[in-house]
Amino acid sequence: MTSVAEPGGQTWVRTALSDPLVLPMLSELGREYATRYGIDSRDELARYPDEEFEPPHGALLLLLEDGEPVAGGAFRRYDSTTAELKRIWTHSAHRRRGLALRVVGELERTAAARGYRRIHLTTGPRQPEARGLYLTAGYTPLFDTSADPETIGPLPFEKDLAGRPAGSAEGKV
């Protein structure tokens, strides 16, 4: 586990899915998926091997506040030049503070530092907050935004990282 303190008592931590600090993220994501989609979320959360979110091709980042996880997310290798964002999360008690946008930005910086030039992601059609987050963060929707999301299924987005300096996250997390 690697961590970097920031002003205001917040710390970025690079960790693994097996770390106990990740349990609040996985628990809340599981409840969200079950509530919104009526599914047993274990299959979705276990879809990818843990190693896919570890260096050199992936990362899992948590933002801690006073030692407690308040937000986080991960990326994995999608192809040789593209990272795929997964598991973007903000603790239910800390929403509406811009933390998810910070998580996405930190994941982008870390992916760029690892040599990725593009980000791909999908979000579910019943997650309008996530759709809004990615649009706000400058992602290009790869679907008709005027269509009913329920008729589309997973909503794909992409973003070019070409304008981001490749070394901007080195040594940070």
Side-chain angles (χ1 to χ4, degrees):
M1 180 167 61
T2 305
S3 65
V4 174
E6 289 193 348
Q10 293 183 334
T11 305
W12 284 107
V13 176
R14 181 185 302 146
T15 191
L17 281 168
S18 59
D19 186 330
L21 282 173
V22 179
L23 288 176
M25 179 177 94
L26 296 176
S27 295
E28 281 203 335
L29 284 171
R31 282 192 297 277
E32 285 284 331
Y33 296 157
T35 300
R36 292 179 191 238
Y37 300 102
I39 60 168
D40 181 347
S41 59
R42 286 178 292 200
D43 288 342
E44 174 56 31
L45 291 172
R47 178 182 290 191
Y48 306 102
D50 293 2
E51 305 81 47
E52 290 194 24
F53 300 106
E54 296 174 5
H57 300 297
L60 190 153
L61 304 178
L62 289 176
L63 181 61
L64 306 182
E65 193 168 88
D66 300 321
E68 296 296 320
V70 295
F75 69 81
R76 60 187 282 276
R77 180 186 173 114
Y78 187 73
D79 65 33
S80 64
T81 62
T82 308
E84 179 181 22
L85 295 189
K86 302 298 287 179
R87 315 290 183 249
I88 307 304
W89 163 79
T90 301
H91 191 288
S92 57
H94 296 276
R95 292 184 179 158
R96 311 290 304 161
R97 295 176 49 198
L99 298 177
L101 195 57
R102 287 186 59 203
V103 168
V104 169
E106 194 64 28
L107 289 168
E108 289 173 359
R109 281 186 284 283
T110 304
R114 299 262 180 88
Y116 290 111
R117 296 190 307 262
R118 184 173 160 277
I119 300 279
H120 171 81
L121 65 90
T122 59
T123 192
R126 296 180 187 167
Q127 296 171 264
E129 305 89 348
R131 176 181 166 160
L133 167 67
Y134 302 127
L135 290 170
T136 298
Y139 282 75
T140 301
L142 303 177
F143 59 93
D144 180 355
T145 58
S146 65
D148 175 1
E150 291 286 334
T151 65
I152 299 170
L155 308 177
F157 291 85
E158 70 178 3
K159 186 174 187 180
D160 182 12
L161 297 178
R164 194 175 276 287
S168 63
E170 285 302 315
K172 186 166 184 193
V173 177

